[in-house]
Amino acid sequence: AKGDLNNAAAHFAKAAVHYPHYARAYDMLGAIAMKQPDRAKARKLFMKSIEADSTFSPAYVDLARMDLRSLGAAAKSQIADAALNNDN
């Protein structure tokens, strides 16, 4: 529910203040922003997560997922084909 998201956001925001390199807190705040939906805020928070810890892969995945949602079907299909046909 909306109250649960607000409560979770408050806890993650508090954690980020106390532990500025806690990438998970920023990533979760970004996920909450996506549900509101506030894509600009979510993008900033996912990037903040990556800045806090460049090895925290969930932030990269969430950022990519957000970008893929904004693409049309043809672009998504092209990306999927490229990924499936990548020989690397």
Side-chain angles (χ1 to χ4, degrees):
K2 184 85 169 161
D4 292 338
L5 285 179
N6 291 337
N7 190 32
H11 285 289
F12 284 117
K14 186 175 180 180
V17 167
H18 291 291
Y19 306 100
H21 294 289
Y22 184 32
R24 168 81 61 199
Y26 298 112
D27 186 60
M28 294 305 295
L29 287 167
I32 292 167
M34 282 295 296
K35 291 196 176 289
Q36 291 178 336
D38 187 341
R39 292 176 52 80
K41 182 177 179 181
R43 175 174 294 286
K44 288 178 186 176
L45 288 161
F46 293 144
M47 293 303 295
K48 182 86 172 170
S49 177
I50 291 167
E51 290 171 18
D53 181 356
S54 64
T55 66
F56 185 68
S57 59
Y60 292 98
V61 171
D62 289 336
L63 189 59
R65 183 178 295 132
M66 184 180 77
D67 287 343
L68 281 171
R69 285 183 180 152
S70 68
L71 296 176
K76 288 179 186 178
S77 179
Q78 185 178 18
I79 291 169
D81 287 346
L84 292 172
N85 293 319
N86 187 352
D87 291 333
N88 294 330

